[in-house]
Amino acid sequence: MTIAAVRTHRLSAPLHTPFVTALRRTTTVDTLVVEVVDSDGRSGFGEAPQVWQVTGASVAGAEACVRELLAPLLTGRDADDLQARCAQVRGAVVGNESAKAAVDVALHDLAARRLGVPLVRLLGGTALRVPTDVTLAAGDAVDLATAAGRRRAEGFTVLKLKVGTDARGDLDRVRSVRAAVGPDVRIRLDANQGWTPREAVRVIRGIEDAGLDVELVEQPVHRRDLDGLAWVSDRVDLPILADESVFDVRDLVEVIRRRAADMVNVKLAKCGGLQPARTLLDLAAAHGMGTIVGSMMEGPVGVGAAASLVAAHGTTAVSDLDAAWWLAWSPVTGGLRYEGATVLLPDAPGLGITDVSEAKVQRRG
């Protein structure tokens, strides 16, 4: 059975609440959905989110990569030879990891649909329920405490607090959130590269001394400052989670070599898809590093693939799969749902996506 077509769908959907970090503020998900169609008319879907400040990927750039290079490469090829197709995608272009991830996921989704099994089954797992944290967008201490109380009431037990916008006030922000949710909720911090190494050590030591029971601190310093990341890791007790510092295997090898972090956050749009993500998770585990799988600000297609990976592969800590929860409405029919702090994967072939609404996206190809 051959690949008959590769199509692209531009998508923009509003968030119910602005998403604010040390790097950016957004009120929409802007992304490219890739559809790979076989000669029987079955479709597999993948997603390439636009995240200028992290991956540098744009909808226009991802679409150009897919339409001009990856689509011609795949069209007419054997749809069932998943390993070969994914290897072609990985080797076809330098960079463009979001575009490659979208096609990689679409190929996996199509393969699972052709077998009539959920994507998680194709990846070697059976679970359809995956726990997630939820992010508290950056803000002042009062707003964060209010949001934390709401998220706790909605059933979330792991809160990721965005910090790094103002190092002098971050300790007060954490203290305020802890007071609002009590001792039974886990709090993790994400500075999104917002601190200098000295600020990071000062803030984290303050948190430790105050006994605020923080689980981990994600990406405290600039992604290229591995010496600074290692310097911070060596001077604090809390686990340090590398995110933006690790896109691919070479990045992770360097973090491991320098002992720069205790954990790694693996994201499909950073590393290029499900197969590279599994390699990163295995490498981290082999070197005793903790793991989570995260997502960019993306929709049910991308988050569904990430959640399927977690369900099949497992991680050492609760993963960061709340991105589609932020959407005011879903731009696709079918796919995952949220039940409190749990991602519910559909018991349906592939990702369970049945339609990308023509009323909500622009279709090309």
Side-chain angles (χ1 to χ4, degrees):
M1 196 62 59
T2 60
I3 295 172
V6 179
R7 300 169 180 159
T8 60
H9 308 265
R10 292 191 178 199
L11 179 157
S12 183
L15 306 181
H16 56 67
T17 307
F19 186 79
V20 184
T21 75
L23 292 174
R24 64 173 182 148
R25 180 184 190 276
T26 186
T27 58
T28 60
V29 163
D30 298 297
T31 195
L32 185 77
V33 172
V34 174
E35 180 182 6
V36 177
V37 186
D38 70 12
S39 50
D40 273 348
R42 296 186 188 89
S43 292
F45 297 95
E47 184 171 356
Q50 177 170 282
V51 193
W52 294 103
Q53 296 85 352
V54 179
T55 63
S58 67
V59 170
E63 185 172 55
C65 180
V66 172
R67 288 172 58 82
E68 295 177 21
L69 184 62
L70 300 182
L73 182 71
L74 294 174
T75 302
R77 300 297 184 102
D78 185 355
D80 290 326
D81 196 352
L82 179 61
Q83 299 295 324
R85 297 292 78 76
C86 289
Q88 281 183 300
V89 170
R90 289 196 302 274
V93 59
V94 174
N96 290 276
E97 304 305 336
S98 289
K100 289 190 283 191
V103 176
D104 174 284
V105 169
L107 289 167
H108 280 81
D109 185 31
L110 179 60
R113 288 170 188 268
R114 289 176 55 77
L115 293 171
V117 299
L119 178 59
V120 64
R121 292 286 182 93
L122 182 74
L123 297 177
T126 59
L128 297 176
R129 299 173 63 89
V130 185
T132 182
D133 67 7
V134 70
T135 299
L136 303 180
D140 62 34
V142 174
D143 290 342
L144 284 167
T146 300
R150 289 175 180 162
R151 300 295 89 83
R152 182 189 181 192
E154 292 165 356
F156 289 98
T157 58
V158 183
L159 306 180
K160 182 162 86 166
L161 170 57
K162 292 290 188 179
V163 292
T165 57
D166 169 28
R168 291 173 297 180
D170 281 335
L171 178 57
D172 288 338
R173 291 179 176 91
V174 179
R175 185 181 285 115
S176 178
V177 169
R178 175 55 73 198
V181 300
D184 298 329
V185 172
R186 268 180 281 173
I187 296 173
R188 50 179 60 164
L189 308 183
D190 186 1
N192 285 114
Q193 313 177 60
W195 294 327
T196 67
R198 290 187 182 278
E199 287 173 338
V201 170
R202 183 169 63 249
V203 173
I204 295 169
R205 283 181 175 172
I207 289 166
E208 293 171 343
D209 291 344
L212 295 175
D213 191 22
V214 166
E215 178 190 16
L216 58 87
V217 179
E218 185 172 357
Q219 199 62 49
V221 301
H222 191 274
R223 68 188 187 96
R224 292 302 185 195
D225 188 7
L226 293 188
D227 289 336
L229 189 64
W231 191 83
V232 172
S233 294
D234 192 48
R235 285 161 176 78
V236 301
D237 294 326
L238 288 178
I240 300 300
L241 171 67
D243 178 6
E244 291 95 336
S245 288
V246 176
F247 276 56
D248 58 22
V249 168
R250 289 184 178 86
D251 292 337
L252 182 55
V253 167
E254 191 63 16
V255 167
I256 292 168
R257 187 184 70 81
R258 299 192 192 198
R259 301 180 185 271
D262 305 289
M263 306 177 67
V264 62
N265 186 350
V266 175
K267 296 179 179 177
L268 304 184
K270 286 192 305 176
C271 70
L274 288 162
Q275 292 193 351
R278 296 177 81 171
T279 299
L280 288 172
L281 291 171
D282 287 339
L283 179 61
H287 288 270
M289 292 186 74
T291 55
I292 71 169
V293 169
S295 54
M296 301 299 181
M297 186 48 67
E298 53 193 300
V301 177
V303 178
S308 297
L309 175 62
V310 175
H313 197 286
T315 53
T316 64
V318 172
S319 285
D320 182 28
L321 304 168
D322 67 324
W325 174 87
W326 288 78
L327 288 168
W329 43 259
S330 176
V332 301
T333 303
L336 63 80
R337 297 184 295 110
Y338 290 89
E339 184 180 271
T342 302
V343 177
L344 302 180
L345 295 169
D347 189 7
L351 290 167
I353 305 293
T354 58
D355 183 51
V356 178
S357 174
E358 294 300 327
K360 298 173 182 176
V361 299
Q362 301 173 31
R363 172 176 166 177
R364 300 187 180 189

